[in-house]
Amino acid sequence: QAQGERGWLAVALRKTRGERMNFFELQHQARKQSKRLIVLFVLAVLAIIAAIDLVIVVAMLANADDARAANLSAGEIIAQHSGALLGISLIVGAVIALASLFKIGSLRSGGGSVAQSLGGTLISAETSNPHYRRLRNVVEEIAIASGVPVPEIYVLEQEPGINAFAAGYTPADAAIAVTRGALEKLKRDELQGVIAHEFSHILNGDMRLNIRLMGLLFG
């Protein structure tokens, strides 16, 4: 019997090690995917600038009567206005960059601003609502276990589906929001799993990346 138990333990240990290796492999793949998405976002910005330049070039060629009378080719017409095209490209890029910086700056006050912008309701420590009370208890438990400050807690009352997110720049200004559906449909241990998942975003710095991507998308 003892040999059988040792054999079962060895199999379980190998399985656990395999799952752990698979976890770190998946984590590495996710980080590579995040970098790829950032590159694609930058390329999208460049594509927007190129598309606007193309519209300007088409309009320029359509109204270049004097240039056509002088037998200038399309390339020569564009070369004559290269300075204007460069200026337009810089203006479009500056507008996108300034809009992105404005959005990122407006979110620097912490995750609470993100939750509020999505219609989140702040849950106070004195709440008597049983669903809110359970949520606060779960968040406080995991914060203590994680060794991070208790984040602000929000509920998206208008969302019947099961969902949640974490937002903020650092653990000190983080906020966690859950939907009304998550509070009403999940058991306590299921809610713990959801909240623990959001704490992983807080601890791994995913929130900063998300806010920067929000700013770039806004631009």
Side-chain angles (χ1 to χ4, degrees), residues 5-34:
E5 290 177 351
R6 284 196 296 272
W8 175 85
L9 182 60
V11 171
L13 185 58
R14 284 197 298 270
K15 182 179 179 182
T16 301
R17 286 173 177 168
E19 290 175 348
R20 185 181 180 192
M21 291 293 291
N22 188 48
F23 167 78
F24 286 114
E25 180 183 346
L26 291 174
Q27 186 182 53
H28 177 67
Q29 291 175 0
R31 286 175 175 162
K32 286 177 62 177
Q33 180 73 354
S34 296

Side-chain angles (χ1 to χ4, degrees), residues 96-110:
I96 294 174
L98 291 174
S100 296
L101 291 173
F102 167 78
K103 187 64 174 180
I104 293 173
S106 68
L107 296 174
R108 281 192 177 276
S109 57

